[in-house]
């Protein structure tokens, strides 16, 4: 993978009578922060002077990049974008290739699937959960990403559904959130949460339940300590 860094713009050339053309590069003063979302390109300034004309200068405008691969200058290590890591995560689950998923998950990752009472804590426990999941369903059942956010290098939101042999599977829509960090020069998932479409949809009855629980809390505030 290549780092997406804009090249310096070409110098501009002018033709004048008895003119002296001098070109030089002014190094960028911005820091080259490891794992940052973008880089400043050094500004190129072209000066033209003439005994007959007024001196002037033209400077290129610095450009930045967003959510792209970042190069670690110390060891020329390319850090993948958050989008790439999450897509690889889904590809590994679909291919039942948990070995490829292992390196995408931080050792201290916390993963919440909201159909379970407690989160899965740590890479080992999370991989055990995925192993049970993939062993329980056919490989014909595949995750399909409907939409995925790409603007943030540390957080990604995903909407998805399941396909059975390229046909939508019932009650399988979901959305997930992932937080990522660069750990040991690799971008890894440190937190995840899955919310899945319920098979039973209470509709407006859910609003009645919420209203009832809210009324109880207002009447008996001490109940909030038991939530």
């Amino acid at each position: 993978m290549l780092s997406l860094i804009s090249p310096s713009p070409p110098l501009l050339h002018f033709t004048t009578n008895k003119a002296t053309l001098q070109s030089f590069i002014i190094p960028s003063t911005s820091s080259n922060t490891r794992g940052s979302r973008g880089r400043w390109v050094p500004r190129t300034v072209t000066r033209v002077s003439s005994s007959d004309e007024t001196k002037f200068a033209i400077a290129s405008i610095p450009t930045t990049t967003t959510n792209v691969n970042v190069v670690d200058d110390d060891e020329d290590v390319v850090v993948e974008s958050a989008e790439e890591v999450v897509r690889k995560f889904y590809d590994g689950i679909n291919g039942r290739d948990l070995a490829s998923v292992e390196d995408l998950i931080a050792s201290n990752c916390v993963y919440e699937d909201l159909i379970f009472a407690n989160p899965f804590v740590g890479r080992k426990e999370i991989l055990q959960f995925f192993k049970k999941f993939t062993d329980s369903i056919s490989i014909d059942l595949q995750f399909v990403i409907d939409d995925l956010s790409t603007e943030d290098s540390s957080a990604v939101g995903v909407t998805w559904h399941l396909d059975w042999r390229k046909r939508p599977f019932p009650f399988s829509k979901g959305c997930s959130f992932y937080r990522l960090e660069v750990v040991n020069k690799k971008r890894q998932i440190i937190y995840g949460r899955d919310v899945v479409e319920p098979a039973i949809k209470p509709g407006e009855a859910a609003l009645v339940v919420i209203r009832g629980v809210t009324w109880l809390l207002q009447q008996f505030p001490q109940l909030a300590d038991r939530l």
Side-chain angles (χ1 to χ4, degrees):
M1 298 183 182
L2 300 177
S3 173
L4 301 181
I5 303 175
S6 302
S8 298
L11 298 178
L12 302 180
H13 298 280
F14 299 86
T15 301
T16 61
N17 293 327
K18 300 180 181 179
T20 301
L21 181 63
Q22 295 176 327
S23 302
F24 59 93
I25 303 296
I26 300 177
S28 172
T29 57
S30 59
S31 59
N32 231 351
T33 305
R34 181 179 305 172
S36 61
R37 295 178 58 190
R39 290 173 180 252
W40 287 99
V41 177
R43 295 182 298 168
T44 303
V45 178
T46 302
R47 296 189 182 276
V48 177
S49 62
S50 172
S51 58
D52 301 327
E53 300 178 11
T54 304
K55 295 181 180 180
F56 62 92
I58 299 175
S60 65
I61 300 175
T63 58
T64 58
T65 56
T66 303
N67 196 30
V68 296
N69 294 341
V70 177
V71 176
D72 186 313
D73 291 331
D74 294 339
E75 297 182 9
D76 294 331
V77 177
V78 177
V79 180
E80 293 178 309
S81 69
E83 175 192 358
E84 288 177 314
V85 172
V86 172
R87 288 189 183 278
K88 281 187 175 183
F89 174 78
Y90 279 90
D91 287 343
I93 298 297
N94 282 337
R96 309 304 189 258
D97 184 8
L98 295 184
S100 67
V101 172
E102 181 176 357
D103 207 34
L104 305 177
I105 301 173
S107 60
N108 60 340
C109 180
V110 176
Y111 202 96
E112 292 185 291
D113 188 320
L114 297 187
I115 65 172
F116 293 90
N118 299 309
F120 302 95
V121 180
R123 180 190 293 146
K124 182 178 179 180
E125 188 172 331
I126 294 169
L127 289 174
Q128 288 175 345
F129 162 66
F130 287 136
K131 180 73 165 91
K132 290 179 181 179
F133 172 78
T134 54
D135 287 347
S136 301
I137 63 174
S138 168
I139 197 170
D140 290 320
L141 200 61
Q142 297 275 299
F143 283 94
V144 178
I145 294 176
D146 298 317
D147 201 4
L148 184 150
S149 63
T150 60
E151 296 301 318
D152 198 322
S153 62
S154 62
V156 173
V158 186
T159 58
W160 48 265
H161 71 275
L162 291 172
D163 267 3
W164 171 265
R165 296 182 179 179
K166 297 185 178 181
R167 294 184 178 182
F169 193 75
F171 308 112
S172 71
K173 295 177 182 177
C175 57
S176 299
F177 172 81
Y178 302 96
R179 186 166 298 283
L180 301 93
E181 283 186 359
V182 176
V183 182
N184 296 326
K185 303 187 185 299
K186 295 179 182 179
R187 200 181 302 278
Q188 295 180 318
I189 298 170
I190 62 168
Y191 174 77
R193 177 184 290 181
D194 291 335
V195 181
V196 185
E197 178 184 14
I200 299 175
K201 301 183 179 183
E204 291 189 7
L207 301 179
V208 176
V209 173
I210 293 172
R211 186 164 58 247
V213 172
T214 303
W215 181 85
L216 284 173
L217 292 175
Q218 289 173 336
Q219 299 301 315
F220 309 98
Q222 64 274 17
L223 293 177
D225 296 333
R226 300 183 181 182
L227 294 178

